[in-house]
Amino acid sequence: MRHSFPTDGGAEQAYLVGVEIKGQKPRWPLPDSLAELAELARTAGVEVVGQTEQHLEAIKPATYVGKGKVEELRVLVQELALDVVIFDDELSPNQQRNLEEALEVRVIDRTALILDIFAKHARTREGALQVELAQYEYLLPRLTHAWTHLARQAGGGAARGGAAGVGLRGPGETQLETDRRTIGRRIVHLKRELEQVRRHREQYRRQRQRQWLPVVSMVGYTNAGKSTLLNALTKADVVADDMLFSTLDPVTRRLALPNGKALLLSDTVGFIQKLPTELVAAFRATLEEINEADLILHVVDINHPNVREQVATVGQVLEELGASQKPMLVALNKVDLLTDPAQARAIASSYTDAVAISALHGQGLDDLLTALENALAKQMVFVRALVPYADSELLALFHRHGVIELERPGPSQVLLEGKLPPGLLGRFAPYLD
């Protein structure tokens, strides 16, 4: 199946290729997955001029698609003067090289496209480090076709002047080996820097725990409206464009609740189906914030035609991160775009702990704040503690973050009965009765 689209010219011209294996039921229908790939291409500044699908018994080891499809694509490259062909799944290095030789045009896959978008949108040093690491780890096995000078020899310098040891003399290493070694060193350097970032985050978390504020981590499919919601609740002034991955770097803001208490609301990078493993690994330090959260706020674009697939994808990523068992509240966003407002309530009733909202127009935000209060209150643990008057900071902590049901003064200490967030139990451990 093949489709062509009208073009405006100017931008790079791309053709999309999607494959479905017969007998396998994909989580996403192939046309919908290709529609998302087209949106990714648009975000990267590429103009999609057409797309094609193929249904195979099995992936072809050499070229991913069948010989007939390769020939069809070769003709299209010439007819449409294509700049790039984009595959919806990750290609092996050999498949990518073979396709480029057969089509005589640049061939990339979904992973490379997402990495390109991330590189474009990384605005902080941490984000840039994470993306650069992911790009190098993706590129390393593909060096054999990425470099145009690989066949050249570095020369026989290693053999001259006796610098090389026995068994190492010869015409010199190939440029490919030099490049691999250079990139390998860069990967080691980036991992060291990101480890420092991870340690800095750990220190920040410890400081946060000393203050003690509960942490709510927002997750969601890309473009679900997390940044718009963060802005609406906290006046964060985060960029919230209507395109995939418009926000890459994590943002944390303080949010006051109606009951006078406060929490820290943290925005994370949006998820997407077929999220590159290189990105998950590189963003591990950032995504650790989700595991440290007291509550996950899953923001869902309720108006999206693939809403159920998106919800399932987010659940899968959370499972990969080990955060699938965290307490969760669901914000069904963009209800203002539904043709029937009653539809939002009907959809919300099919989810556990869900609130229908419009982050853009402020609809349902009061309900969301109340739901956040209730979700955090559910986690509180009943305690009975005898706290010395001398530890005034601890007494203030109970008043500020707990729910006091009984307070009985004594000669040197005060008896407190009530509920505390789980994260504070350790501070009161010496005085629990």
Side-chain angles (χ1 to χ4, degrees):
M1 189 182 299
R2 163 185 160 188
H3 306 282
S4 295
F5 311 131
T7 68
D8 297 326
E12 279 191 303
Q13 309 288 292
Y15 206 84
L16 310 183
V17 182
V19 171
E20 194 170 88
I21 305 302
K22 295 176 184 177
Q24 291 184 8
K25 187 177 179 182
R27 174 167 285 165
W28 283 68
L30 184 55
D32 295 340
S33 189
L34 282 172
E36 183 179 81
L37 186 67
E39 187 66 17
L40 285 167
R42 183 185 74 83
T43 302
V46 175
E47 185 177 2
V48 176
V49 300
Q51 66 183 48
T52 186
E53 302 172 10
Q54 187 170 39
H55 299 264
L56 295 170
E57 297 292 341
I59 295 300
K60 304 302 179 184
T63 54
Y64 200 79
V65 291
K67 289 182 180 178
K69 185 61 70 176
V70 172
E71 179 57 27
E72 177 190 318
L73 289 169
R74 191 187 66 78
V75 173
L76 284 169
V77 166
Q78 301 302 320
E79 286 181 355
L80 301 175
L82 297 176
D83 299 296
V84 60
V85 174
I86 307 175
F87 279 71
D88 192 34
D89 292 291
E90 186 166 323
L91 300 170
S92 72
N94 283 340
Q95 288 166 345
Q96 190 173 1
R97 182 178 65 250
N98 293 338
L99 285 164
E100 287 191 339
E101 289 176 355
L103 303 180
E104 296 183 343
V105 74
R106 186 155 42 96
V107 174
I108 66 171
D109 56 24
R110 174 185 272 257
T111 298
L113 187 60
I114 293 174
L115 289 172
D116 183 81
I117 294 168
F118 270 49
K120 181 180 176 182
H121 290 164
R123 293 181 174 89
T124 65
R125 178 174 173 274
E126 177 185 357
L129 285 172
Q130 289 168 322
V131 174
E132 186 181 356
L133 174 60
Q135 286 178 314
Y136 275 135
E137 291 192 323
Y138 172 81
L139 182 62
L140 192 57
R142 291 166 170 79
L143 281 179
T144 49
H145 83 278
W147 262 243
T148 59
H149 55 278
L150 298 183
R152 294 204 305 267
Q153 296 290 321
R160 291 190 291 271
V166 63
L168 298 178
R169 300 182 184 90
E173 62 187 358
T174 63
Q175 188 64 43
L176 172 59
E177 289 166 338
T178 302
D179 291 337
R180 277 182 174 153
R181 190 169 289 118
T182 300
I183 288 183
R185 283 197 295 266
R186 183 63 182 163
I187 286 174
V188 170
H189 173 73
L190 289 168
K191 285 182 174 178
R192 281 201 200 107
E193 290 208 50
L194 284 171
E195 179 59 24
Q196 291 178 352
V197 169
R198 193 197 66 78
R199 285 198 294 267
H200 176 73
R201 280 189 176 278
E202 183 59 36
Q203 289 173 355
Y204 172 67
R205 278 197 290 266
R206 282 199 294 268
Q207 290 173 358
R208 203 163 62 191
Q209 287 165 358
R210 279 198 294 270
Q211 297 172 355
W212 199 81
L213 285 177
V215 178
V216 175
S217 186
M218 285 198 297
V219 303
Y221 208 83
T222 180
N223 212 27
K226 293 188 285 69
S227 296
T228 303
L229 180 57
L230 186 72
N231 289 338
L233 292 174
T234 69
K235 315 300 182 205
D237 197 27
V238 173
V239 175
D241 293 332
D242 183 21
M243 65 171 52
L244 305 184
F245 300 116
S246 62
T247 305
L248 177 58
D249 301 303
V251 180
T252 300
R253 293 290 185 271
R254 184 186 177 101
L255 173 62
L257 294 171
N259 63 6
K261 300 186 186 303
L263 59 81
L264 292 176
L265 187 60
S266 178
D267 188 11
T268 57
V269 63
F271 298 159
I272 195 168
Q273 61 143 340
K274 304 174 185 175
L275 189 67
T277 53
E278 294 89 354
L279 274 177
V280 175
F283 278 73
R284 180 67 59 177
T286 301
L287 295 174
E288 278 179 1
E289 292 287 315
I290 297 172
N291 279 313
E292 297 294 329
D294 299 282
L295 178 70
I296 290 176
L297 178 59
H298 182 182
V299 182
V300 176
D301 178 358
I302 197 61
N303 192 60
H304 198 282
N306 297 108
V307 57
R308 297 200 181 279
E309 290 88 350
Q310 290 187 349
V311 168
T313 297
V314 171
Q316 180 186 2
V317 176
L318 288 175
E319 192 170 343
E320 290 172 4
L321 295 171
S324 59
Q325 299 305 312
K326 284 274 182 184
M328 181 183 292
L329 179 66
V330 179
L332 302 174
N333 192 26
K334 305 188 184 181
V335 295
D336 54 298
L337 299 178
L338 295 174
T339 52
D340 179 10
Q343 189 181 357
R345 290 190 293 274
I347 296 172
S349 65
S350 67
Y351 288 86
T352 304
D353 297 321
V355 181
I357 67 165
S358 168
L360 186 62
H361 298 286
Q363 181 180 340
L365 296 190
D366 289 341
D367 293 338
L368 179 61
L369 290 173
T370 300
L372 285 169
E373 279 184 359
N374 294 337
L376 291 171
K378 280 182 187 176
Q379 299 178 39
M380 287 192 170
V381 179
F382 180 81
V383 297
R384 175 186 168 92
L386 293 165
V387 182
Y389 291 119
D391 202 338
S392 57
E393 182 185 347
L394 208 58
L395 290 170
L397 204 61
F398 205 128
H399 278 270
R400 192 161 58 247
H401 298 296
V403 177
I404 295 178
E405 298 173 0
L406 172 68
E407 186 170 8
R408 184 180 297 155
S412 60
Q413 56 193 10
V414 58
L415 171 64
L416 293 173
E417 288 185 359
K419 293 180 179 178
L420 280 174
L424 278 180
L425 294 180
R427 300 284 299 274
F428 285 85
Y431 307 120
L432 294 181
D433 187 18

